[in-house]
Amino acid sequence: FSVFPNPFADNFNRKLDVPQKGQYKISLIDSLGKTLKTNMLLFQQGEQEIFFNTYDLKLAKGYYFIQISNEENFGGKVIFKN
């Protein structure tokens, strides 16, 4: 999957190719491994784009990890907050 813009300010988008219809967990994790925000979303199979707002979290500059998973699939990507 891709995340843009990267680096981001307060919001970013994720574009992913969903291998199968189902519920997915999307988490934002800090560099210490603490989960800051989690969304549960239902996706159809195919390309999906999701808007993610972090303004309410008041994130410091630095590296964060986006994790996407369901019962059978797992993926992650490092992103940078500027």
Coordinates of all heavy atoms in Angstrom, one line a residue:
F1 N 0.8 -1.2 0.0 CA 0.0 0.0 0.0 C 0.9 1.2 0.0 O 2.1 1.2 0.3 CB -1.0 0.0 1.2 CG -0.4 0.1 2.5 CD1 -0.3 1.3 3.2 CD2 0.0 -1.0 3.2 CE1 0.3 1.4 4.4 CE2 0.5 -1.0 4.5 CZ 0.7 0.3 5.1
S2 N 0.3 2.4 -0.3 CA 1.1 3.6 -0.3 C 0.4 4.6 0.6 O -0.8 4.5 0.9 CB 1.2 4.2 -1.8 OG -0.1 4.5 -2.2
V3 N 1.2 5.5 1.1 CA 0.8 6.6 2.0 C 1.3 7.9 1.4 O 2.5 8.0 1.0 CB 1.4 6.4 3.4 CG1 0.9 7.6 4.3 CG2 0.9 5.1 4.0
F4 N 0.4 8.9 1.2 CA 0.8 10.2 0.7 C 0.0 11.3 1.3 O -1.2 11.1 1.7 CB 0.6 10.2 -0.9 CG -0.8 9.8 -1.3 CD1 -1.7 10.8 -1.6 CD2 -1.2 8.5 -1.5 CE1 -3.0 10.5 -2.0 CE2 -2.4 8.2 -1.9 CZ -3.3 9.2 -2.2
P5 N 0.5 12.5 1.5 CA 1.9 12.8 1.3 C 2.8 12.1 2.4 O 2.3 11.9 3.5 CB 2.0 14.3 1.4 CG 0.8 14.7 2.2 CD -0.2 13.6 2.0
N6 N 4.0 11.9 2.1 CA 4.9 11.4 3.1 C 6.3 12.0 2.8 O 6.9 11.7 1.8 CB 5.1 9.9 3.0 CG 5.8 9.2 4.1 OD1 6.1 9.9 5.1 ND2 6.2 8.0 4.0
P7 N 6.7 13.0 3.7 CA 6.2 13.3 5.0 C 4.8 14.0 4.9 O 4.4 14.6 3.9 CB 7.2 14.3 5.6 CG 8.1 14.7 4.5 CD 7.9 13.8 3.3
F8 N 4.1 14.0 6.1 CA 2.8 14.6 6.2 C 2.7 15.6 7.2 O 3.6 15.7 8.1 CB 1.7 13.5 6.4 CG 1.8 12.9 7.8 CD1 0.9 13.3 8.8 CD2 2.7 11.9 8.1 CE1 0.9 12.8 10.1 CE2 2.7 11.3 9.4 CZ 1.8 11.8 10.4
A9 N 1.7 16.5 7.2 CA 1.5 17.5 8.2 C 0.5 17.0 9.3 O 0.9 16.6 10.4 CB 1.0 18.8 7.6
D10 N -0.8 17.0 9.0 CA -1.8 16.5 10.0 C -2.7 15.5 9.4 O -3.3 14.7 10.1 CB -2.7 17.7 10.4 CG -1.9 18.7 11.3 OD1 -1.2 18.2 12.2 OD2 -2.1 19.9 11.2
N11 N -2.7 15.3 8.1 CA -3.5 14.4 7.4 C -2.7 13.6 6.3 O -1.8 14.2 5.8 CB -4.7 15.1 6.7 CG -5.5 16.0 7.6 OD1 -5.9 15.5 8.7 ND2 -5.6 17.2 7.3
F12 N -3.1 12.4 6.1 CA -2.6 11.7 4.9 C -3.6 10.7 4.4 O -4.6 10.4 5.0 CB -1.3 10.9 5.3 CG -1.4 10.0 6.5 CD1 -1.8 8.7 6.2 CD2 -1.2 10.4 7.8 CE1 -1.9 7.8 7.3 CE2 -1.3 9.5 8.8 CZ -1.7 8.2 8.6
N13 N -3.3 10.2 3.2 CA -4.2 9.3 2.5 C -3.4 8.0 2.4 O -2.2 8.0 2.3 CB -4.6 9.7 1.1 CG -5.4 11.0 1.2 OD1 -6.5 10.9 1.8 ND2 -5.0 12.0 0.6
R14 N -4.2 6.9 2.4 CA -3.6 5.6 2.2 C -4.3 5.0 1.0 O -5.6 5.0 0.9 CB -3.8 4.6 3.4 CG -2.9 5.0 4.5 CD -3.4 4.3 5.7 NE -4.9 4.6 5.8 CZ -5.5 4.7 6.9 NH1 -4.9 4.5 8.0 NH2 -6.8 5.0 6.9
K15 N -3.5 4.5 0.1 CA -4.1 3.7 -1.1 C -3.6 2.3 -1.0 O -2.4 2.1 -0.8 CB -3.6 4.4 -2.4 CG -4.3 3.8 -3.6 CD -3.8 4.5 -4.9 CE -4.5 5.8 -5.0 NZ -4.3 6.4 -6.3
L16 N -4.6 1.4 -1.0 CA -4.2 0.0 -0.9 C -5.0 -0.9 -1.8 O -6.2 -0.5 -2.2 CB -4.3 -0.5 0.6 CG -5.7 -0.4 1.2 CD1 -5.8 -1.6 2.2 CD2 -5.8 0.9 2.0
D17 N -4.5 -2.0 -2.2 CA -5.1 -3.0 -3.0 C -5.6 -4.1 -2.0 O -4.8 -4.9 -1.5 CB -4.2 -3.6 -4.0 CG -4.9 -4.5 -5.0 OD1 -6.2 -4.3 -5.1 OD2 -4.3 -5.3 -5.7
V18 N -6.9 -4.1 -1.7 CA -7.5 -5.1 -0.8 C -7.6 -6.4 -1.5 O -8.3 -6.6 -2.5 CB -8.8 -4.6 -0.3 CG1 -9.5 -5.6 0.7 CG2 -8.6 -3.2 0.4
P19 N -7.0 -7.5 -0.9 CA -7.0 -8.8 -1.5 C -8.4 -9.5 -1.4 O -8.7 -10.3 -2.3 CB -5.9 -9.6 -0.8 CG -5.7 -8.9 0.5 CD -6.1 -7.5 0.2
Q20 N -9.1 -9.2 -0.4 CA -10.4 -9.8 -0.2 C -11.3 -8.9 0.7 O -10.8 -8.2 1.5 CB -10.3 -11.2 0.5 CG -9.7 -11.1 1.9 CD -9.4 -12.5 2.5 OE1 -9.2 -13.5 1.7 NE2 -9.3 -12.6 3.8
K21 N -12.6 -9.0 0.4 CA -13.6 -8.2 1.1 C -13.5 -8.6 2.6 O -13.3 -9.8 2.9 CB -15.0 -8.5 0.5 CG -16.1 -7.9 1.3 CD -17.4 -8.3 0.7 CE -18.6 -7.7 1.5 NZ -19.9 -8.1 0.9
G22 N -13.7 -7.6 3.5 CA -13.7 -7.9 4.9 C -13.4 -6.7 5.7 O -13.2 -5.6 5.3
Q23 N -13.3 -7.0 7.0 CA -13.0 -5.9 8.0 C -11.5 -5.9 8.3 O -10.9 -6.9 8.5 CB -13.7 -6.2 9.3 CG -13.6 -5.1 10.3 CD -14.6 -5.2 11.5 OE1 -15.3 -6.2 11.6 NE2 -14.6 -4.2 12.3
Y24 N -10.9 -4.7 8.2 CA -9.5 -4.5 8.4 C -9.3 -3.5 9.6 O -10.0 -2.6 9.8 CB -8.9 -3.9 7.1 CG -8.8 -4.9 6.0 CD1 -9.9 -5.3 5.3 CD2 -7.5 -5.5 5.8 CE1 -9.8 -6.3 4.3 CE2 -7.4 -6.5 4.8 CZ -8.5 -6.8 4.0 OH -8.4 -7.8 3.1
K25 N -8.2 -3.8 10.3 CA -7.8 -2.9 11.4 C -6.6 -2.0 10.9 O -5.7 -2.6 10.4 CB -7.4 -3.7 12.6 CG -7.0 -2.9 13.8 CD -6.8 -3.8 15.0 CE -5.4 -3.8 15.5 NZ -5.2 -4.6 16.7
I26 N -6.8 -0.7 11.0 CA -5.7 0.2 10.6 C -5.3 1.0 11.8 O -6.1 1.7 12.5 CB -6.2 1.2 9.5 CG1 -6.7 0.3 8.3 CG2 -5.2 2.1 9.1 CD1 -7.4 1.1 7.3
S27 N -4.0 0.9 12.2 CA -3.5 1.5 13.4 C -2.3 2.5 13.1 O -1.5 2.2 12.2 CB -3.0 0.5 14.4 OG -4.0 -0.4 14.7
L28 N -2.2 3.5 13.8 CA -1.1 4.5 13.8 C -0.3 4.2 15.1 O -0.8 4.3 16.2 CB -1.6 5.9 13.7 CG -0.5 7.0 13.8 CD1 0.4 6.9 12.5 CD2 -1.1 8.4 13.9
I29 N 1.0 3.9 14.9 CA 1.8 3.5 16.1 C 3.0 4.4 16.1 O 3.6 4.7 15.1 CB 2.3 2.0 15.9 CG1 1.0 1.1 15.8 CG2 3.2 1.6 17.0 CD1 1.3 -0.2 15.3
D30 N 3.4 4.9 17.3 CA 4.6 5.8 17.4 C 5.9 4.9 17.4 O 5.9 3.7 17.4 CB 4.5 6.7 18.6 CG 4.6 6.0 20.0 OD1 5.0 4.8 20.1 OD2 4.2 6.7 21.0
S31 N 7.0 5.6 17.5 CA 8.3 5.0 17.4 C 8.6 4.1 18.7 O 9.6 3.3 18.6 CB 9.4 6.0 17.2 OG 9.4 6.9 18.3
L32 N 7.9 4.3 19.7 CA 8.1 3.4 20.9 C 7.1 2.2 20.9 O 7.1 1.4 21.9 CB 7.8 4.3 22.2 CG 8.7 5.5 22.4 CD1 8.3 6.3 23.6 CD2 10.2 5.0 22.5
G33 N 6.3 2.1 19.9 CA 5.4 1.0 19.8 C 4.0 1.2 20.4 O 3.2 0.3 20.5
K34 N 3.7 2.4 20.8 CA 2.4 2.7 21.4 C 1.4 3.0 20.3 O 1.6 3.8 19.4 CB 2.5 3.9 22.3 CG 1.2 4.3 22.9 CD 1.4 5.6 23.8 CE 0.0 6.0 24.3 NZ 0.1 7.3 25.0
T35 N 0.3 2.3 20.4 CA -0.8 2.5 19.4 C -1.5 3.8 19.7 O -2.0 4.0 20.8 CB -1.8 1.4 19.4 OG1 -1.1 0.2 19.0 CG2 -2.9 1.6 18.4
L36 N -1.5 4.8 18.8 CA -2.1 6.1 19.0 C -3.5 6.2 18.5 O -4.3 7.0 19.1 CB -1.2 7.2 18.3 CG 0.2 7.2 18.7 CD1 1.0 8.1 17.8 CD2 0.4 7.5 20.2
K37 N -3.9 5.5 17.5 CA -5.2 5.5 16.9 C -5.4 4.3 16.1 O -4.6 3.8 15.4 CB -5.3 6.8 16.0 CG -6.7 7.0 15.4 CD -6.7 8.4 14.7 CE -8.1 8.7 14.2 NZ -8.2 10.1 13.7
T38 N -6.7 3.7 16.2 CA -7.0 2.5 15.5 C -8.4 2.7 14.9 O -9.3 3.2 15.6 CB -7.0 1.3 16.4 OG1 -5.7 1.1 16.9 CG2 -7.5 0.0 15.7
N39 N -8.6 2.3 13.7 CA -9.9 2.4 13.0 C -10.1 1.0 12.5 O -9.2 0.3 12.0 CB -9.9 3.3 11.8 CG -9.8 4.8 12.2 OD1 -10.1 5.1 13.3 ND2 -9.3 5.6 11.2
M40 N -11.4 0.5 12.6 CA -11.8 -0.7 12.0 C -12.7 -0.3 10.8 O -13.7 0.4 11.0 CB -12.7 -1.5 13.0 CG -11.9 -2.0 14.2 SD -10.5 -3.1 13.8 CE -11.3 -4.6 13.3
L41 N -12.3 -0.8 9.6 CA -13.1 -0.5 8.4 C -13.4 -1.7 7.6 O -12.7 -2.7 7.6 CB -12.2 0.5 7.5 CG -11.8 1.8 8.2 CD1 -10.7 2.5 7.3 CD2 -13.0 2.7 8.4
L42 N -14.6 -1.6 6.9 CA -15.0 -2.7 6.1 C -14.7 -2.3 4.6 O -15.1 -1.3 4.2 CB -16.5 -2.9 6.2 CG -17.1 -4.0 5.4 CD1 -16.5 -5.4 5.8 CD2 -18.6 -4.0 5.5
F43 N -13.9 -3.2 4.0 CA -13.4 -2.9 2.6 C -14.0 -3.9 1.6 O -14.2 -5.1 2.0 CB -11.9 -3.0 2.5 CG -11.2 -1.9 3.2 CD1 -10.2 -2.1 4.1 CD2 -11.4 -0.6 2.8 CE1 -9.5 -1.1 4.7 CE2 -10.8 0.5 3.4 CZ -9.8 0.2 4.4
Q44 N -14.3 -3.5 0.4 CA -14.6 -4.4 -0.7 C -13.2 -4.8 -1.3 O -12.2 -4.1 -1.1 CB -15.4 -3.6 -1.7 CG -16.8 -3.2 -1.2 CD -17.6 -4.3 -0.7 OE1 -17.7 -5.4 -1.4 NE2 -18.3 -4.2 0.4
Q45 N -13.2 -5.8 -2.0 CA -12.0 -6.3 -2.7 C -11.6 -5.2 -3.8 O -12.5 -4.7 -4.5 CB -12.2 -7.6 -3.4 CG -11.0 -8.2 -4.0 CD -11.2 -9.6 -4.6 OE1 -12.3 -10.1 -4.6 NE2 -10.1 -10.2 -5.1
G46 N -10.3 -5.0 -4.0 CA -9.9 -4.0 -5.0 C -9.2 -2.8 -4.4 O -8.9 -2.8 -3.2
E47 N -8.9 -1.8 -5.2 CA -8.2 -0.7 -4.8 C -9.1 0.2 -3.9 O -10.2 0.5 -4.3 CB -7.7 0.1 -6.0 CG -6.7 1.2 -5.6 CD -6.1 1.9 -6.8 OE1 -5.0 1.4 -7.2 OE2 -6.7 2.9 -7.3
Q48 N -8.6 0.7 -2.8 CA -9.3 1.5 -1.8 C -8.4 2.7 -1.5 O -7.2 2.5 -1.4 CB -9.6 0.7 -0.6 CG -10.4 -0.5 -0.8 CD -11.8 -0.3 -1.3 OE1 -12.5 0.6 -0.8 NE2 -12.3 -1.1 -2.2
E49 N -9.0 3.8 -1.2 CA -8.2 5.0 -0.7 C -8.9 5.5 0.6 O -10.1 5.6 0.6 CB -8.2 6.1 -1.7 CG -7.3 7.2 -1.3 CD -7.0 8.2 -2.4 OE1 -7.0 7.8 -3.6 OE2 -6.9 9.4 -2.1
I50 N -8.1 5.7 1.6 CA -8.6 6.1 2.9 C -7.9 7.4 3.4 O -6.7 7.5 3.3 CB -8.4 5.0 4.0 CG1 -8.9 3.7 3.5 CG2 -9.0 5.4 5.3 CD1 -7.8 2.7 3.3
F51 N -8.7 8.3 3.9 CA -8.2 9.6 4.5 C -8.0 9.4 6.0 O -8.9 8.8 6.6 CB -9.3 10.7 4.2 CG -8.9 12.0 4.8 CD1 -7.9 12.8 4.2 CD2 -9.5 12.5 6.0 CE1 -7.6 14.0 4.8 CE2 -9.2 13.7 6.6 CZ -8.2 14.5 6.0
F52 N -6.9 9.8 6.5 CA -6.6 9.6 7.9 C -6.2 11.0 8.5 O -5.2 11.6 8.1 CB -5.4 8.6 8.0 CG -5.3 7.9 9.3 CD1 -6.0 6.7 9.5 CD2 -4.6 8.4 10.4 CE1 -5.9 6.0 10.7 CE2 -4.5 7.7 11.6 CZ -5.1 6.5 11.7
N53 N -7.0 11.4 9.5 CA -6.8 12.7 10.1 C -6.1 12.5 11.5 O -6.6 11.8 12.3 CB -8.1 13.4 10.3 CG -7.9 14.8 10.9 OD1 -6.9 15.2 11.3 ND2 -9.0 15.5 10.9
T54 N -4.9 13.2 11.7 CA -4.2 13.0 12.9 C -4.2 14.3 13.7 O -3.5 14.5 14.7 CB -2.7 12.6 12.7 OG1 -2.0 13.6 12.0 CG2 -2.7 11.3 12.0
Y55 N -4.9 15.3 13.2 CA -4.9 16.7 13.9 C -5.2 16.6 15.4 O -4.5 17.2 16.2 CB -5.9 17.6 13.2 CG -5.9 19.0 13.8 CD1 -4.8 19.9 13.5 CD2 -6.9 19.4 14.6 CE1 -4.8 21.2 14.0 CE2 -6.9 20.7 15.2 CZ -5.9 21.5 14.9 OH -5.8 22.8 15.4
D56 N -6.2 15.8 15.7 CA -6.6 15.7 17.1 C -5.5 15.0 18.0 O -5.6 15.2 19.2 CB -7.9 14.9 17.3 CG -7.8 13.5 16.7 OD1 -7.1 13.3 15.7 OD2 -8.5 12.6 17.2
L57 N -4.6 14.3 17.4 CA -3.5 13.7 18.2 C -2.4 14.6 18.6 O -1.5 14.3 19.4 CB -3.0 12.5 17.4 CG -4.0 11.4 17.1 CD1 -3.3 10.3 16.2 CD2 -4.5 10.8 18.4
K58 N -2.3 15.7 17.9 CA -1.2 16.7 18.2 C 0.2 16.0 18.1 O 1.0 16.1 19.1 CB -1.4 17.4 19.5 CG -2.7 18.1 19.7 CD -2.9 19.3 18.8 CE -4.2 20.0 19.1 NZ -4.9 20.5 18.0
L59 N 0.5 15.3 17.0 CA 1.7 14.5 16.9 C 2.9 15.4 16.8 O 2.9 16.4 16.2 CB 1.6 13.7 15.7 CG 0.5 12.6 15.6 CD1 0.5 11.9 14.3 CD2 0.6 11.6 16.7
A60 N 4.0 15.0 17.5 CA 5.3 15.6 17.3 C 5.9 15.2 16.0 O 5.6 14.2 15.4 CB 6.2 15.2 18.5
K61 N 6.9 16.0 15.6 CA 7.7 15.6 14.4 C 8.3 14.2 14.6 O 8.8 14.0 15.8 CB 8.7 16.6 14.0 CG 8.1 17.9 13.5 CD 9.2 18.9 13.2 CE 8.6 20.2 12.7 NZ 9.7 21.2 12.3
G62 N 8.4 13.4 13.6 CA 9.1 12.1 13.8 C 8.5 11.0 13.0 O 7.6 11.2 12.1
Y63 N 9.0 9.8 13.2 CA 8.6 8.6 12.5 C 7.4 7.9 13.2 O 7.4 7.8 14.4 CB 9.8 7.7 12.3 CG 10.8 8.2 11.4 CD1 11.9 8.9 11.9 CD2 10.7 8.0 10.0 CE1 12.9 9.4 11.0 CE2 11.7 8.5 9.2 CZ 12.8 9.2 9.7 OH 13.7 9.7 8.8
Y64 N 6.5 7.4 12.4 CA 5.4 6.7 12.8 C 5.2 5.5 11.9 O 5.7 5.4 10.8 CB 4.1 7.5 12.8 CG 4.2 8.7 13.8 CD1 4.8 9.9 13.5 CD2 3.8 8.5 15.1 CE1 4.9 10.9 14.4 CE2 3.9 9.5 16.1 CZ 4.5 10.7 15.7 OH 4.6 11.7 16.6
F65 N 4.4 4.5 12.4 CA 4.2 3.3 11.6 C 2.7 3.1 11.4 O 1.9 3.2 12.3 CB 4.8 2.1 12.4 CG 4.7 0.8 11.7 CD1 5.6 0.6 10.6 CD2 3.9 -0.2 12.1 CE1 5.5 -0.7 9.9 CE2 3.8 -1.4 11.4 CZ 4.7 -1.7 10.3
I66 N 2.3 2.9 10.1 CA 0.9 2.5 9.8 C 0.8 1.0 9.6 O 1.6 0.5 8.8 CB 0.5 3.2 8.5 CG1 0.5 4.7 8.7 CG2 -0.9 2.8 8.0 CD1 -0.6 5.2 9.6
Q67 N -0.1 0.4 10.3 CA -0.3 -1.0 10.3 C -1.7 -1.3 9.8 O -2.6 -0.8 10.3 CB 0.0 -1.6 11.6 CG -0.2 -3.1 11.7 CD 0.0 -3.6 13.1 OE1 1.2 -3.4 13.6 NE2 -1.0 -4.2 13.8
I68 N -1.8 -2.2 8.8 CA -3.1 -2.7 8.3 C -3.1 -4.2 8.4 O -2.2 -4.8 7.9 CB -3.3 -2.2 6.8 CG1 -3.2 -0.7 6.8 CG2 -4.6 -2.7 6.3 CD1 -3.3 -0.1 5.4
S69 N -4.2 -4.7 9.0 CA -4.3 -6.1 9.1 C -5.7 -6.6 9.2 O -6.7 -5.9 9.5 CB -3.6 -6.6 10.4 OG -4.2 -6.0 11.6
N70 N -5.9 -7.9 8.9 CA -7.2 -8.6 9.1 C -6.7 -10.0 9.6 O -5.6 -10.2 9.9 CB -8.1 -8.6 7.9 CG -7.7 -9.4 6.8 OD1 -6.6 -10.0 6.8 ND2 -8.4 -9.5 5.7
E71 N -7.7 -10.9 9.6 CA -7.3 -12.3 10.0 C -6.3 -13.0 9.2 O -5.5 -13.9 9.7 CB -8.6 -13.2 10.1 CG -9.6 -12.7 11.1 CD -10.9 -13.5 11.1 OE1 -11.0 -14.4 10.2 OE2 -11.7 -13.2 11.9
E72 N -6.2 -12.6 7.9 CA -5.3 -13.4 7.0 C -4.1 -12.5 6.4 O -3.2 -13.1 5.9 CB -6.1 -14.0 5.9 CG -7.1 -15.0 6.4 CD -7.9 -15.6 5.3 OE1 -7.6 -15.4 4.1 OE2 -9.0 -16.2 5.6
N73 N -4.2 -11.2 6.5 CA -3.2 -10.3 5.9 C -2.7 -9.3 6.8 O -3.4 -8.9 7.8 CB -3.9 -9.6 4.7 CG -4.4 -10.5 3.6 OD1 -3.6 -11.2 2.9 ND2 -5.7 -10.7 3.5
F74 N -1.4 -8.9 6.6 CA -0.8 -7.9 7.5 C 0.2 -7.1 6.6 O 0.8 -7.6 5.7 CB 0.0 -8.7 8.5 CG 0.8 -7.7 9.4 CD1 0.2 -7.2 10.5 CD2 2.1 -7.5 9.1 CE1 1.0 -6.3 11.3 CE2 2.9 -6.6 9.9 CZ 2.3 -6.0 11.0
G75 N 0.2 -5.8 6.9 CA 1.1 -4.9 6.2 C 1.4 -3.7 7.0 O 0.7 -3.3 7.9
G76 N 2.5 -3.0 6.7 CA 2.9 -1.8 7.4 C 3.8 -0.9 6.6 O 4.4 -1.4 5.6
K77 N 3.8 0.3 7.0 CA 4.7 1.3 6.3 C 5.1 2.4 7.3 O 4.3 2.8 8.2 CB 3.9 1.9 5.2 CG 4.8 2.8 4.3 CD 4.2 3.1 3.0 CE 4.1 2.0 2.1 NZ 5.2 1.6 1.2
V78 N 6.4 2.8 7.2 CA 6.9 3.9 8.0 C 6.5 5.2 7.3 O 6.7 5.3 6.1 CB 8.4 3.8 8.2 CG1 8.9 5.0 9.0 CG2 8.7 2.5 9.0
I79 N 6.0 6.2 8.1 CA 5.7 7.5 7.6 C 6.4 8.5 8.5 O 6.8 8.2 9.7 CB 4.2 7.8 7.5 CG1 3.5 7.6 8.9 CG2 3.6 6.8 6.5 CD1 2.1 8.0 8.9
F80 N 6.6 9.7 8.0 CA 7.3 10.8 8.7 C 6.3 12.0 8.9 O 5.8 12.5 7.9 CB 8.5 11.2 8.0 CG 9.3 12.2 8.8 CD1 10.1 11.8 9.9 CD2 9.3 13.6 8.4 CE1 10.8 12.8 10.6 CE2 10.0 14.5 9.2 CZ 10.8 14.1 10.3
K81 N 6.2 12.5 10.1 CA 5.4 13.7 10.4 C 6.4 14.9 10.4 O 7.4 14.8 11.1 CB 4.7 13.5 11.8 CG 4.2 14.8 12.4 CD 2.9 15.2 11.9 CE 2.2 16.2 12.7 NZ 2.5 17.6 12.5
N82 N 6.1 15.9 9.6 CA 7.0 17.1 9.7 C 6.4 18.3 10.3 O 5.2 18.3 10.7 CB 7.5 17.4 8.3 CG 6.4 17.8 7.3 OD1 5.2 18.0 7.7 ND2 6.7 17.9 6.0

